[in-house]
Amino acid sequence: MACCCATCCRGSSRMRVKSCAGKCSKVLLLLVNIVIFLAGGGLLGLGIYYHLDGGLYEHVLNVNDIITVPTTMMFLGCLFLIISFFAIVGALCEVVIMLKIYMSIVAIVLILEVLLMGVCVAMRGDVEKRAVLVIHNLMEHYGNKTSDDLSIITKTIDETQIWLSCCGLERPGDWGDPEIAKYWAATNNPDSSLNFELPLSCCRDRAATSCAYTNTTEGHKLYYSAGCRAQFEEFVEGNVTYITVGGIVMIVLQVFVMISALKIRFELSSKYDQDDYLGNSANMEITSL
């Protein structure tokens, strides 16, 4: 990028974007895409780290699948880097073809985002079922140092239960069910009794050192009685408006960025045409002389 800018950008006096609107569009385009470039680098780095690390994704989301969390992060990271690269270089070096490529990619992404929002709204139930299935798979490995050597699964479940104020998939008793919480039930409830130890993240008191399940009114005062499925569905229903508004804001921002790139492109194109016209006129005058 540095070499390109050194070659293309021949000093501020040679810049072809002169108007105030053009300069503002240039600044907006650069600022937005620098942020996207940094975010893309971060996503790519995290995706590579989680892919090499294994842990949560190797045992829960199946690393043999083509579409996993790490591969999705790496794909989005590369996409962000490529898109922002064309925008930054195109704006700094005032290269029309790069701005055209940038606008084409953003237009395609914009169309895909609109389609994805429609699909998510239409298939919201399937998305919720997939999320519940993931939680179920996570619970099987909770506390297992063999399959979760870095405690990624354990921390994920703990943070989810604290965040949603829930315990278990459907109810707190799930932690004693070997079909749901395989390792935890085998370790803390091998006799399948009605009383057993719950994860500390189920306790309402964050300073508690023990969290015993008793399935009584008194027990429900000590730990969260709602399951994470119901709490997650309630969260989605309560925040679907904010998620939709967030998606619309992102689309509007992309439209503004496209308009900025379009403004720069038109100004550069008109300037190139003007320079060509003046150059041809000068050549004709010299020829006539």
Side-chain angles (χ1 to χ4, degrees):
M1 185 183 295
C3 294
C4 176
C5 290
T7 304
C8 299
C9 303
R10 305 181 182 88
S12 58
S13 61
R14 301 296 298 276
M15 290 294 179
R16 298 178 183 271
V17 177
K18 301 290 186 181
S19 69
C20 180
K23 291 178 180 178
C24 290
S25 299
K26 195 172 183 180
V27 170
L28 175 62
L29 190 64
L30 286 173
L31 288 177
V32 170
N33 282 279
I34 286 173
V35 173
I36 294 175
F37 188 86
L38 295 175
L43 275 175
L44 179 60
L46 285 174
I48 294 173
Y49 170 77
Y50 285 132
H51 179 73
L52 297 177
D53 175 64
L56 171 66
Y57 308 101
E58 181 180 357
H59 298 283
V60 179
L61 300 183
N62 190 356
V63 76
N64 295 320
D65 289 343
I66 297 176
I67 301 177
T68 61
V69 173
T71 55
T72 302
M73 293 174 70
M74 288 187 286
F75 172 76
L76 290 176
C78 290
L79 181 63
F80 287 177
L81 289 173
I82 293 171
I83 293 176
S84 57
F85 173 79
F86 280 108
I88 293 171
V89 176
L92 282 177
C93 304
E94 299 186 346
V95 183
V96 175
I97 185 63
M98 298 195 77
L99 291 174
K100 288 181 178 179
I101 295 173
Y102 169 74
M103 287 187 292
S104 300
I105 296 175
V106 172
I108 294 172
V109 171
L110 194 60
I111 294 172
L112 292 176
E113 284 180 353
V114 174
L115 292 176
L116 182 62
M117 286 184 64
V119 170
C120 287
V121 171
M123 303 180 63
R124 189 172 63 191
D126 292 336
V127 173
E128 292 175 355
K129 290 178 182 178
R130 174 62 180 172
V132 169
L133 179 61
V134 169
I135 295 175
H136 185 188
N137 292 338
L138 289 172
M139 288 181 65
E140 290 186 2
H141 301 274
Y142 183 90
N144 191 339
K145 292 295 183 182
T146 301
S147 60
D148 185 26
D149 55 335
L150 296 178
S151 298
I152 297 175
I153 298 174
T154 301
K155 291 177 181 177
T156 302
I157 287 291
D158 285 339
E159 291 174 2
T160 301
Q161 292 192 144
I162 294 172
W163 170 47
L164 295 176
S165 299
C166 61
C167 184
L169 184 60
E170 301 288 351
R171 61 192 66 84
D174 290 342
W175 286 108
D177 187 346
E179 293 184 1
I180 299 177
K182 183 177 180 181
Y183 180 82
W184 184 266
T187 305
N188 295 277
N189 191 25
D191 301 327
S192 299
S193 64
L194 297 177
N195 299 322
F196 53 88
E197 194 70 18
L198 293 171
L200 292 178
S201 56
C202 285
C203 279
R204 298 179 186 273
D205 183 8
R206 299 268 57 83
T209 57
S210 178
C211 195
Y213 174 76
T214 59
N215 196 25
T216 61
T217 304
E218 292 298 323
H220 290 174
K221 294 179 181 179
L222 300 176
Y223 51 80
Y224 301 122
S225 57
C228 290
R229 175 204 283 267
Q231 293 296 89
F232 177 75
E233 291 177 352
E234 183 179 338
F235 171 80
V236 173
E237 290 294 333
N239 291 274
V240 66
T241 302
Y242 298 107
I243 296 172
T244 304
V245 171
I248 294 174
V249 169
M250 288 296 297
I251 292 174
V252 171
L253 179 61
Q254 286 177 287
V255 171
F256 272 110
V257 170
M258 282 192 65
I259 293 174
S260 299
L262 197 61
K263 169 62 180 174
I264 299 171
R265 173 197 165 186
F266 282 154
E267 191 163 332
L268 289 174
S269 298
S270 62
K271 185 65 178 176
Y272 285 139
D273 293 340
Q274 182 180 355
D275 289 348
D276 291 340
Y277 174 77
L278 294 176
N280 292 334
S281 300
N283 291 334
M284 290 178 62
E285 291 178 1
I286 293 173
T287 304
S288 61
L289 291 175

